[in-house]
Amino acid sequence: MASLRFSRADFEVFSIEGFSARMEKIHELIRPRLMRLGSELAPELSRKFELQFFPHVAKHMRATVSPPAETWTAWGPSPNGYKRYGYLALCVSGAGIHARAVVKAEANRRVELGQMLKSKASALEKSFRGTRIQRYEKWDCINLPKRVPADAELFTALGAALEKKTGTLDVGFGWGLRDAARLDRNEVLDAFGELEPLYRLLRAVE
């Protein structure tokens, strides 16, 4: 499969000083590629998961105080939006590229999802078979989060976080700049495949 065709120069736009100037370059260089990838990978994900996916590109990027940030394309079960559901996201930042499963604080039935995560923690650990993943809930958009075991303890903690008033879930796999510049679509699809046991649980409580 073809490369995602992101270069070092693309990742450097996230370090441009000044929010307006940075956004202008992101809309010029990054957003069109994410729109294309969103449309092209949706049917691939649908075949892989045997579920329907609709692509959405972020209208705004997530920014910290200055200047690091990230933006993304997301795939969810509705054509009308994605933040009310658990979704998959391909994110681009100054640190690289990231394939993630996400639940936002505004998601429907988030507390129920948290309870189910806790009850299914041991089964999820078996499904992940020793995989190590990264947590992005509070990451700084600069350094890739460290990989941690996808074990029952992790899923119990993720479930407990979702039960809180502003709880979120954001886990996955990241590629640093060197690897991100040569990343291909098969690798991205394989990463989402690794997240499949978790994502299927997210879809179970739509």
Side-chain angles (χ1 to χ4, degrees):
M1 252 188 190
S3 163
L4 298 188
R5 297 185 180 178
F6 286 98
S7 69
R8 286 273 186 147
D10 294 320
F11 303 118
E12 289 172 359
V13 304
F14 291 93
S15 297
I16 293 173
E17 292 294 338
F19 185 78
S20 295
R22 188 160 69 252
M23 285 298 294
E24 182 179 349
K25 277 298 181 183
I26 287 171
H27 277 273
E28 176 187 341
L29 298 176
I30 308 299
R31 185 178 171 83
R33 298 184 195 186
L34 288 176
M35 292 179 69
R36 174 177 53 81
L37 287 168
S39 296
E40 292 177 356
L41 292 182
E44 296 288 338
L45 289 169
S46 294
R47 282 193 289 270
K48 192 174 189 68
F49 284 69
E50 297 183 343
L51 293 168
Q52 190 164 22
F53 286 92
F54 295 92
H56 305 271
V57 177
K59 294 180 180 179
H60 306 288
M61 68 180 184
R62 184 165 77 93
T64 51
V65 269
S66 165
E70 62 177 356
T71 190
W72 57 89
T73 188
W75 297 272
S78 171
N80 300 317
Y82 61 98
K83 293 183 181 181
R84 294 288 180 182
Y85 309 90
Y87 61 87
L88 298 176
L90 182 68
C91 309
V92 181
S93 73
I97 294 175
H98 324 270
R100 286 142 61 178
V102 183
V103 178
K104 303 293 282 185
E106 57 264 47
N108 298 332
R109 304 178 67 184
R110 179 172 48 79
V111 173
E112 289 179 58
L113 177 55
Q115 294 169 347
M116 183 175 290
L117 265 178
K118 292 195 297 183
S119 70
K120 301 290 186 182
S122 295
L124 282 168
E125 178 178 358
K126 291 178 183 177
S127 296
F128 274 83
R129 306 178 309 279
T131 300
R132 298 177 69 86
I133 61 178
Q134 292 155 296
R135 295 187 66 174
Y136 285 86
E137 292 97 346
K138 295 181 180 179
W139 89 294
D140 59 10
C141 298
I142 302 172
N143 304 295
L144 291 180
K146 68 178 182 179
R147 291 180 180 262
V148 298
D151 58 15
E153 182 179 356
L154 171 68
F155 294 116
T156 299
L158 292 173
L162 284 177
E163 291 179 302
K164 296 179 180 178
K165 186 175 181 179
T166 58
T168 62
L169 180 152
D170 193 340
V171 298
F173 306 96
W175 295 266
L177 296 181
R178 183 180 65 179
D179 294 326
R182 58 191 184 209
L183 188 65
D184 67 37
R185 298 184 189 190
N186 273 334
E187 292 176 279
V188 170
L189 290 169
D190 286 346
F192 284 130
E194 289 287 329
L195 294 169
E196 181 175 355
L198 175 60
Y199 184 71
R200 286 196 176 276
L201 189 148
L202 304 185
R203 289 288 288 261
V205 291
E206 288 172 12

